Amino acid sequence: MFEMFIPKLRVDTVFDIDLEDLYAKGYRGIITDLDNTLVGAKEPLATPELVAWFDQVKKIGFKLVIVSNNRMERVSAFAAPLNIEFVHEARKPSNAPFRKAMTMMGLTGQETIVVGDQMMTDVYGGNRLGLFTVLVLPISIGDEGWGTRINRRLEKIALRRLRKKGLWLEEEKR
């Protein structure tokens, strides 16, 4: 059961994802979390570096949708200036927001990548649908809400179990 929390790839940040390699492997869409994946939970707008990353994503040919459990006001204020589609109040790890994002992009699960900072929501949700999951290190843990803090505690339990089974190696990221 704990295997569903293992991402296909672990990196420090979205900037460490080899986009060209994934595109060459047939992936065409990225579903990404917002808070602590793209920016800190209290950062209202994209950094210049992140704007450049979005430009690279589009230049390579990827479609992109932000899927966040956060409220409409938060997600819209971030995504609208960048002209990025989004799903707010997603209730991840539910299947519905991931399916909705794939429909918005016109893609299948075999063509879709999920990027996020939480094993319990992003990775588990993506893995349940057979998507390629990428786990990034959280940007600013101190800014997280109470729900995310609970998830972080559950992640620690899952990580202990995975390490004990030899399924989570320390030389890998995170």
Side-chain angles (χ1 to χ4, degrees):
M1 178 199 153
F2 285 97
E3 289 83 359
M4 291 298 287
F5 298 111
I6 300 173
K8 305 292 185 290
L9 176 66
R10 294 189 301 181
V11 294
D12 289 341
T13 72
V14 294
F15 309 113
D16 299 316
I17 299 169
D18 188 341
L19 295 170
E20 281 102 6
D21 180 61
L22 291 171
Y23 194 86
K25 290 179 178 173
Y27 296 102
R28 298 296 182 259
I30 298 173
I31 296 171
T32 183
D33 179 45
L34 172 57
D35 294 325
N36 277 333
T37 297
L38 298 175
V39 294
K42 292 186 178 178
E43 290 297 321
L45 301 173
T47 64
E49 184 181 28
L50 187 60
V51 171
W53 185 79
F54 286 140
D55 289 343
Q56 180 187 13
V57 165
K58 292 175 186 174
K59 181 180 175 187
I60 291 169
F62 282 104
K63 296 177 182 179
L64 179 80
V65 175
I66 294 172
V67 175
S68 174
N69 286 347
N70 214 321
R71 295 183 173 171
M72 169 74 161
E73 299 80 22
R74 161 67 173 143
V75 185
S76 176
F78 179 89
L82 301 166
N83 199 29
I84 296 175
E85 291 187 290
F86 62 90
V87 177
H88 65 284
E89 296 179 17
R91 303 200 189 289
K92 294 179 290 182
S94 170
N95 289 341
F98 295 102
R99 286 191 177 127
K100 182 176 181 178
M102 287 188 289
T103 298
M104 292 166 74
M105 293 186 290
L107 298 174
T108 66
Q110 292 79 24
E111 301 170 292
T112 306
I113 299 163
V114 175
V115 180
D117 68 307
Q118 290 189 62
M119 294 167 61
M120 299 292 163
T121 56
D122 307 304
V123 174
Y124 178 63
N127 281 348
R128 286 177 39 199
L129 290 173
L131 310 180
F132 185 89
T133 51
V134 180
L135 183 66
V136 300
L137 295 174
I139 293 170
S140 180
I141 291 179
D143 292 341
E144 295 178 333
W146 64 270
T148 304
R149 290 174 194 250
I150 291 170
N151 281 346
R152 297 281 181 218
R153 288 184 181 159
L154 295 172
E155 280 183 4
K156 287 181 182 180
I157 294 168
L159 281 169
R160 273 194 300 258
R161 186 65 59 106
L162 290 168
R163 285 181 186 116
K164 190 173 185 178
K165 290 183 171 190
L167 298 172
W168 193 275
L169 304 175
E170 293 307 315
E171 59 267 18
E172 295 181 46
K173 296 287 183 203
R174 194 157 206 234

